Amino acid sequence: MKPRADVVALVIGLMSFLLAALGLWAAFGTVSWAGVGLAVPLCLVAVGVLGLLASRNRI
């Protein structure tokens, strides 16, 4: 039996990585909040799709 990926850990890890990247960007540079306003929803959709694909039942 093949071990399954821990989908919850994957999604939480990716979200933590994105939040930390935004924090570093804010600490060391100027944040374009208009760009963040576009990038955040796109990243959330991408992480959601990745979570759905990782949780699929494979035959």
Side-chain angles (χ1 to χ4, degrees):
M1 187 154 128
K2 183 179 173 185
R4 295 187 46 132
D6 188 0
V7 178
V8 175
L10 173 71
V11 170
I12 290 175
L14 285 173
M15 297 306 296
S16 298
F17 172 76
L18 292 173
L19 184 62
L22 180 63
L24 281 173
W25 185 15
F28 292 111
T30 304
V31 176
S32 168
W33 292 106
V36 172
L38 179 64
V40 167
L42 292 175
C43 288
L44 287 173
V45 168
V47 168
V49 167
L50 184 62
L52 286 173
L53 289 176
S55 68
R56 257 185 355 173
N57 288 334
R58 293 192 175 86
I59 297 174

